[in-house]
Amino acid sequence: MTARQGLGKALSLKQFLQRLESLKLYRDILRATYTMDADSRGFLQDQARLEFKAQKDETDAREIRLLQAHGRQRLEETLGMMKMAQGLGGRSSQDQPSCEKPHE
């Protein structure tokens, strides 16, 4: 048995780069969940894993680009919602507008 057997067909440069981009997107999704509470983090990580596994056999380059763009868009939307939630829920009493007149 040679070292090449069992590895499957070699990827073209274009396929290799698309694979790298997909892996980067997956890692970015996982990184984005690290600041979430445990329940949300687990749910979103499971969802990402399921969606990536469902598309793992996709070979059409155009479809892969569309999936990557859709995934990137969903990640950006999620990050935006997280920032909004932190902005609304993370305000301290110092951040709240004061009704008192300033001391003279």
Side-chain angles (χ1 to χ4, degrees), residues 18-79:
Q18 281 188 323
R19 183 174 187 272
L20 283 180
E21 180 60 30
S22 295
L23 291 172
K24 182 182 182 315
L25 175 59
Y26 186 72
R27 285 190 307 268
D28 289 346
I29 291 168
L30 295 182
R31 281 188 197 111
T33 64
Y34 290 151
T35 59
M36 297 178 177
D37 63 272
D39 290 337
S40 297
R41 180 176 49 244
F43 173 76
L44 288 174
Q45 287 176 349
D46 288 344
Q47 286 300 113
R49 188 177 306 110
L50 288 172
E51 289 191 34
F52 273 80
K53 279 186 178 183
Q55 303 300 331
K56 74 178 183 131
D57 295 325
E58 183 61 58
T59 57
D60 181 33
R62 183 170 179 247
E63 183 64 22
I64 292 170
R65 282 193 310 273
L66 290 172
L67 290 165
Q68 289 170 340
H70 182 68
R72 195 54 70 197
Q73 179 183 8
R74 289 180 61 189
L75 175 59
E76 293 301 321
E77 289 170 357
T78 301
L79 291 174

Side-chain angles (χ1 to χ4, degrees), residues 97-103:
S98 175
C99 295
E100 298 178 23
K101 291 183 181 179
H103 293 83

